[in-house]
Amino acid sequence: MSFAVRDQIFFICGVFTVLSAQNTIVCVDRWVKNNKLMEQAQLFASANQLANTLFLTCFIGLPASSFGNTVNGCYLWSAGTCFFYFSFQEVSASILIFRATLLMKGIWQVVARIFGFALLLASFSSVLAGVIMQPTFIDANGFCVVSFNWNNTNDIGKQILLVLYILILLCFLIPLIGHVVQVSKTMANTPGKGMSSIKRIATAGTVFGVRTCLAILGFLVPHLFPLIFGGNSSWGGLQGLSFVLQNYFALVASTIPDKAESMNAPAVKGFTRISAGKAENLSNNESKMDRTHKTEPRA
């Protein structure tokens, strides 16, 4: 790897280190304000992703002498990077699996979650095989070099993970659209009633959908790099963007909070309990809110 390519990758890793640090700070703030299991899981995932990016940045930018100037030292530091990768990816993907299947019912929810975790295990097994068997050496410039893609195990693992993210998106959007249509039909005879709840739910669904799409794009875009750069060695370092891009967008899908999600969280929780026989509750609740608003004393 030339110094120019290494510098490009080092710069990219540095940028995403700052972004990851910012996300970790936000998750810490959210955890302090609301110390629940979800916030703890999000903080764990963001902290491990930050550590993964830091380890990778050091591995790319520092000479082998920083790791003992031995092949074994290079291998162990690379293995540490992979440990943090597995830690954050496992938690962030698990969060997405549980969130995506909230709207599914009965046995279908159980089957979807079992299948999702089976795909996650298959992906990790393939990537882990490459981590254990990764060829490691020190190049002529005195830097550590490893090949994470031993016998294409890394590519296979990432492709399985891509399939998982696509299924996660479908498992969330299909029931969501069905519920919105169902509730809209129920409220067709009461114009205006319950519409604010539907809008809040649709907004929350859009936030989740967009984030998951970003994670999917993080896996798809790097496959276009060979076509974009056409084998131009001057831009070879930008192909290193694929790894950090995949990791960061996977984290974005599961952890980064925003105002839209916070405002719509109650609506989503309530929406997961809606069935065809209970859809009228939205209309009743909206009517109560309207009557309360109208009867409030004026100053």
Side-chain angles (χ1 to χ4, degrees):
M1 184 186 297
S2 67
F3 281 109
V5 171
R6 188 176 296 276
D7 286 344
Q8 290 171 11
I9 299 177
F10 184 73
F11 175 77
I12 292 168
C13 289
V15 171
F16 278 90
T17 298
V18 174
L19 293 175
S20 300
Q22 186 271 340
N23 178 55
T24 302
I25 292 172
V26 171
C27 287
V28 168
D29 179 67
R30 194 179 191 188
W31 169 69
V32 171
K33 294 178 180 177
N34 189 20
N35 186 12
K36 293 183 179 180
L37 181 60
M38 182 60 70
E39 281 68 31
Q40 293 171 1
Q42 290 176 338
L43 177 58
F44 179 85
S46 61
N48 277 274
Q49 196 271 337
L50 173 60
N52 170 257
T53 308
L54 283 171
F55 264 61
L56 182 63
T57 303
C58 293
F59 188 81
I60 294 295
L62 298 178
S65 58
S66 302
F67 314 114
N69 208 29
T70 64
V71 172
N72 188 51
C74 293
Y75 178 88
L76 290 177
W77 191 268
S78 174
T81 302
C82 296
F83 169 79
F84 289 115
Y85 167 79
F86 285 121
S87 298
F88 107 80
Q89 191 67 262
E90 179 182 0
V91 175
S92 65
S94 298
I95 291 173
L96 286 177
I97 290 172
F98 276 104
R99 280 184 170 181
T101 54
L102 277 176
L103 299 179
M104 302 183 75
K105 299 177 182 178
I107 190 64
W108 288 109
Q109 184 183 77
V110 176
V111 170
R113 287 178 175 177
I114 291 175
F115 187 69
F117 283 112
L119 284 178
L120 187 61
L121 178 61
S123 173
F124 282 0
S125 298
S126 180
V127 176
L128 181 61
V131 171
I132 294 174
M133 301 301 296
Q134 59 185 350
T136 308
F137 61 93
I138 299 175
D139 66 12
N141 297 318
F143 286 89
C144 296
V145 178
V146 299
S147 175
F148 293 104
N149 200 26
W150 175 77
N151 283 354
N152 295 320
T153 49
N154 189 68
D155 287 344
I156 294 172
K158 294 298 178 66
Q159 288 167 3
I160 295 174
L161 207 56
L162 172 61
V163 172
L164 174 61
Y165 277 100
I166 293 175
L167 292 177
I168 283 174
L169 184 63
L170 293 176
C171 285
F172 181 77
L173 290 182
I174 293 176
L176 177 68
I177 294 171
H179 278 299
V180 171
V181 171
Q182 185 182 53
V183 175
S184 298
K185 289 181 179 178
T186 303
M187 297 178 178
N189 296 327
T190 55
K193 304 299 183 181
M195 292 307 298
S196 61
S197 295
I198 294 177
K199 288 180 180 179
R200 288 198 301 270
I201 294 164
T203 301
T206 301
V207 169
F208 182 89
V210 169
R211 291 181 182 182
T212 308
C213 285
L214 284 176
I216 293 172
L217 284 175
F219 286 96
L220 292 178
V221 170
H223 291 290
L224 301 177
F225 284 172
L227 298 176
I228 297 174
F229 302 118
N232 189 339
S233 59
S234 300
W235 299 98
L238 293 183
Q239 297 191 41
L241 177 64
S242 61
F243 184 75
V244 290
L245 192 67
Q246 291 166 0
N247 292 353
Y248 183 72
F249 280 162
L251 188 72
V252 166
S254 63
T255 64
I256 294 184
D258 56 30
K259 293 181 179 179
E261 182 181 28
S262 300
M263 292 171 60
N264 292 293
V268 175
K269 291 179 180 178
F271 195 57
T272 61
R273 297 190 295 268
I274 293 173
S275 62
K278 298 179 181 179
E280 293 85 353
N281 289 340
L282 275 177
S283 178
N284 293 335
N285 290 337
E286 292 292 325
S287 298
K288 290 177 182 178
M289 292 174 63
D290 290 343
R291 288 197 298 271
T292 301
H293 178 71
K294 291 178 181 178
T295 56
E296 287 180 349
R298 296 182 180 179

